[in-house]
């Protein structure tokens, strides 16, 4: 019988967990923002509408540029996370600076995705926050965005979750993943450690800047209400939600 150490256990735990996170956030969320063919066709169309008329305006940013920027970041970080984790655990990186560099990139990628999920959580919370003092009679008062959204297949069994909490759940998972990797599998080279810390902090600062700038540059929810309703209908037709 082969004995499994505690570090081996947590390394394989982060490999499997990171593979799932990379697959969802990189191969699905990221690529669907960039690619509009094949299985991504319907999702990409909803992404274009969502970023151009909802997510971009509420953050005060150009929706198309924001979609491509986030899509490239998610795809690169997610796919890179999968490759880096498996190459590390299978011993294909050897030992030394190259392994340290890859392990540093794994932490940086997870922190970048963490910052992005934090911004997404703030955006969806803002979209779900009704303005009861609004005097705009054209707004549909029965509009249910952010109340309950059902999962699509294979979880389409009646379960539902508040939309605003879904990115927050991913943020918690990414935080736990990053903490485990930083404690047990961090780079040993001090220069790579410094680079990893600085880049991770810069990504979180960038995410915080986007959240703060929303108050100055972004549109109010009621100004994009009709586009928001259309986005919700497109999400319902796909059987899922956009992150």
């Amino acid at each position: 019988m082969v004995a499994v150490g505690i570090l081996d256990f947590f390394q394989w735990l982060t490999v499997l967990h990171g593979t799932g996170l990379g697959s969802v956030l990189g191969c699905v969320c990221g690529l669907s923002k960039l690619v509009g063919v094949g299985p991504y066709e319907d999702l990409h169309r909803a992404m274009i509408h969502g970023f151009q008329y909802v997510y971009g305006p509420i953050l005060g940013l150009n929706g198309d540029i924001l979609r491509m920027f986030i899509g490239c970041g998610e795809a690169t970080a997610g796919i890179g996370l999968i490759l880096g984790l498996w190459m590390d655990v299978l011993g294909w990186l050897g030992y030394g600076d190259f392994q340290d560099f890859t392990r540093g990139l794994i932490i940086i990628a997870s922190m970048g995705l963490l910052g992005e999920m934090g911004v997404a959580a703030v955006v969806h919370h803002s979209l779900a926050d009704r303005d009861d003092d609004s005097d705009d009679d054209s707004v549909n008062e029965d509009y249910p965005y952010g109340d309950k959204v059902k999962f699509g297949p294979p979880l389409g069994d009646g379960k539902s979750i508040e939309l605003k909490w879904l990115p927050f759940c991913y943020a918690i998972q990414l935080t736990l993943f990053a903490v485990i990797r930083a404690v047990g599998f961090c780079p040993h080279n001090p220069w790579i450690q410094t680079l990893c810390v600085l880049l991770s902090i810069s990504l979180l600062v960038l995410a915080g800047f986007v959240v703060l700038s929303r108050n100055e540059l972004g549109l109010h929810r009621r100004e994009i209400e009709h586009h928001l309703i259309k986005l919700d209908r497109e999400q319902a037709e796909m059987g899922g939600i956009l992150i």
Side-chain angles (χ1 to χ4, degrees):
M1 181 179 295
V2 179
V4 179
I6 186 67
L7 282 180
D8 293 329
F9 170 78
F10 277 105
Q11 184 174 22
W12 276 104
L13 180 64
T14 57
V15 168
L16 297 177
H17 188 199
T19 299
L21 291 172
S23 299
V24 173
L25 300 179
C27 299
V28 178
C29 297
L31 291 180
S32 63
K33 295 179 176 66
L34 305 173
V35 181
V37 297
Y40 297 107
E41 183 175 0
D42 294 337
L43 188 56
H44 182 69
R45 184 171 59 252
M47 286 285 188
I48 291 177
H49 176 81
F51 275 87
Q52 187 172 2
Y53 297 107
V54 178
Y55 303 140
I58 202 171
L59 290 173
L61 302 171
N62 183 287
D64 290 330
I65 296 178
L66 180 65
R67 172 177 56 82
M68 290 185 287
F69 178 78
I70 293 179
C72 289
E74 285 180 334
T76 302
I79 296 174
L81 202 63
I82 297 173
L83 294 177
L85 287 168
W86 281 99
M87 291 174 66
D88 184 29
V89 76
L90 295 177
W92 293 356
L93 301 175
Y95 298 94
D97 289 343
F98 186 61
Q99 184 189 45
D100 276 357
F101 184 71
T102 303
R103 288 186 170 185
L105 288 179
I106 290 173
I107 297 174
I108 294 170
S110 63
M111 295 302 289
L113 292 172
L114 169 61
E116 193 248 330
M117 285 297 106
V119 175
V122 172
V123 169
H124 285 295
H125 183 81
S126 300
L127 294 176
D129 186 18
R130 295 288 307 190
D131 185 5
D132 295 331
D133 296 332
S134 175
D135 296 329
D136 187 0
D137 295 331
S138 63
V139 173
N140 183 4
E141 296 297 333
D142 296 326
Y143 177 53
Y145 189 94
D147 290 346
K148 294 290 183 178
V149 179
K150 291 186 177 181
F151 285 113
L155 300 178
D157 55 355
K159 294 183 178 180
S160 59
I161 186 174
E162 289 190 26
L163 176 58
K164 63 183 180 182
W165 292 115
L166 190 58
F168 182 71
C169 293
Y170 278 113
I172 293 177
Q173 294 184 56
L174 287 163
T175 300
L176 295 176
F177 174 87
V179 168
I180 294 175
R181 294 297 304 189
V183 172
F185 310 99
C186 66
H188 299 291
N189 187 305
W191 293 104
I192 298 178
Q193 286 181 346
T194 303
L195 180 64
C196 178
V197 171
L198 292 178
L199 288 178
S200 297
I201 292 176
S202 65
L203 290 172
L204 295 179
V205 170
L206 176 61
F209 174 78
V210 172
V211 172
L212 292 177
S213 67
R214 178 184 66 88
N215 297 327
E216 299 294 333
L217 304 175
L219 298 180
H220 193 274
R221 182 188 191 277
R222 61 175 174 266
E223 298 179 82
I224 57 173
E225 188 83 18
H226 298 293
H227 297 296
L228 193 57
I229 294 174
K230 182 179 178 181
L231 175 61
D232 184 65
R233 290 171 181 168
E234 292 185 357
Q235 292 179 144
E237 291 175 357
M238 292 185 302
I241 59 176
L242 303 185
I243 301 178

